[in-house]
Amino acid sequence: MRTKKGCQLRERISFLNKSSWGFPFISRLDIVAAPFRRGHDSLFSLPPVLFSRAFLANPRAIGAVCPSSARLARALAAKVPIPGNNGFVLELGAGTGSVTAALLERGIDRNRLVIVERDKLLAKHLKERFPDVAVINGNAVKLCELCNRFDRKVNCVVSSLPLLSLPPATVAALGETLPKLLGQEGFLVQYTYRLTNAPSPLAPYMDRISSQRVWGNIPPAHVEVFRSRI
Ligand SMILES: C[S@@+](CC[C@H](N)C(=O)[O-])C[C@H]1O[C@@H](n2cnc3c(N)ncnc32)[C@H](O)[C@@H]1O
C-alpha cells in the first residue's frame, strides 16, 4: 500500500532528478547528504565543495575541475584597466569569486563592478562573500544583451566562461554581443584551457591584442585580451 509520505518522497526525488540536467546521481547524492548537510552547513559552503558540486551537476557549464588559482586570477586582473567615472567592469562566470577578489585587490571600485553567475548556489555564495558588489544570478548572454540596450558603458569584460565546453550557439551569441557591448574602446579579458595554438572560439568575432600562458593553475591557462573589430 502506498503511503502519503512515500508518494511525497517519490515526487521529491523525481523533481530533483529532473532538475539536475541529466546527472540524476547528483540528486540522489543530495538526498543522502541532506541530514549530514543540515549539521555541516559551513562545510557545504566551502568554495571547493560548492565548485565540485556545481561541476558534477553540470560539467560543461563549469568547464574546470577546480576554481581559478590566485596566480591566474591576478594575471586576469592585471589586464583590466581601472574604470573612469562613468564606466564599469562586468565579470562573467565568477564561480567561487577568485577572480572577483583579485579585481578588488587590484583596485577596481566595488561600485564599478557587476558580476554575473548562472549557477544559483555559486551566485548565493558570491553575494555572501562580496556583499557590496552587484551580483546577478543569470545567463551572461542575456545580460550582455540587456547592458547593450541600456547603453551603459562597459569598459572591460572579464570572463571565466568555459568557451571550449559551452554549446556553440552560446559562444556565437557571446561573440555577436560582446563587441557591441564593449564598443571601440573596451576590452575583453578571457581565459581558456587551450594548450595548443589553435585560435580562440572568439577569433571570428574579435581581434586578439595579447596572449599569455599562466602555468600556475590546474590546468595551465591561456589568458587573452580582445578588442572589438567595429
Ligand atoms: C571555469 S568556472 C569559473 C571559475 C571561477 N573563476 C572561480 O575561480 O571559481 C565557469 C563559471 O561560469 C559559469 N557559467 C557558465 N555558463 C554561464 C552563463 N551562460 N552565464 C553565466 N555564468 C555561466 C559557471 O556556472 C561557472 O561558475
Side-chain angles (χ1 to χ4, degrees):
M1 201 179 107
R2 292 187 172 192
T3 63
K4 199 176 163 202
K5 253 192 172 168
C7 287
Q8 279 171 347
L9 185 64
R10 257 188 302 278
E11 271 167 28
R12 201 170 154 225
I13 292 171
S14 114
F15 168 74
L16 285 170
N17 281 344
K18 276 182 215 147
S19 70
S20 64
W21 294 42
F23 283 79
F25 70 95
I26 296 300
S27 306
R28 295 199 179 106
L29 211 71
D30 273 350
I31 291 168
V32 173
F36 176 74
R37 192 169 52 211
R38 271 194 284 279
H40 296 78
D41 264 351
S42 54
L43 174 71
F44 279 85
S45 59
L46 287 175
V49 178
L50 273 172
F51 194 88
S52 308
R53 190 215 173 272
F55 174 77
L56 290 169
N58 193 351
R60 286 187 70 189
I62 301 296
V65 286
C66 50
S68 314
S69 68
R71 194 168 290 194
L72 173 58
R74 279 198 300 269
L76 290 159
K79 312 265 182 223
V80 178
I82 307 282
N85 283 344
N86 60 347
F88 71 99
V89 174
L90 185 63
E91 187 191 346
L92 307 178
T96 53
S98 353
V99 178
T100 317
L103 289 169
L104 296 175
E105 203 176 293
R106 160 140 175 72
I108 308 291
D109 189 326
R110 284 163 193 271
N111 299 318
R112 305 218 160 269
L113 180 61
V114 176
I115 59 185
V116 181
E117 171 52 56
R118 192 172 189 173
D119 183 274
K120 208 168 150 187
L121 290 181
L122 288 173
K124 181 172 171 277
H125 161 79
L126 289 165
K127 283 179 193 167
E128 285 163 6
R129 183 170 174 192
F130 306 104
D132 306 331
V133 175
V135 178
I136 300 168
N137 177 207
N139 186 342
V141 174
K142 295 199 175 136
L143 284 156
C144 285
E145 279 170 19
L146 213 65
C147 291
N148 204 11
R149 256 184 264 154
F150 286 120
D151 197 26
R152 293 200 56 187
K153 189 165 161 46
V154 181
N155 290 97
C156 186
V157 172
V158 185
S159 163
S160 295
L161 296 175
L163 296 181
L164 299 180
S165 59
L166 287 177
T170 305
V171 178
L174 285 164
E176 299 286 345
T177 311
L178 286 169
K180 292 183 208 151
L181 182 71
L182 290 163
Q184 282 181 327
E185 287 161 21
F187 297 96
L188 165 70
V189 182
Q190 169 79 53
Y191 70 86
T192 57
Y193 296 129
R194 261 164 41 248
L195 282 181
T196 65
N197 277 330
S200 157
L202 291 175
Y205 309 94
M206 299 181 87
D207 287 331
R208 189 175 79 170
I209 56 172
S210 77
S211 147
Q212 178 196 352
R213 290 234 194 268
V214 177
W215 296 102
N217 188 69
I218 304 172
H222 203 144
V223 175
E224 292 170 296
V225 180
F226 294 88
R227 202 171 215 168
S228 300
R229 207 166 274 154
I230 47 173

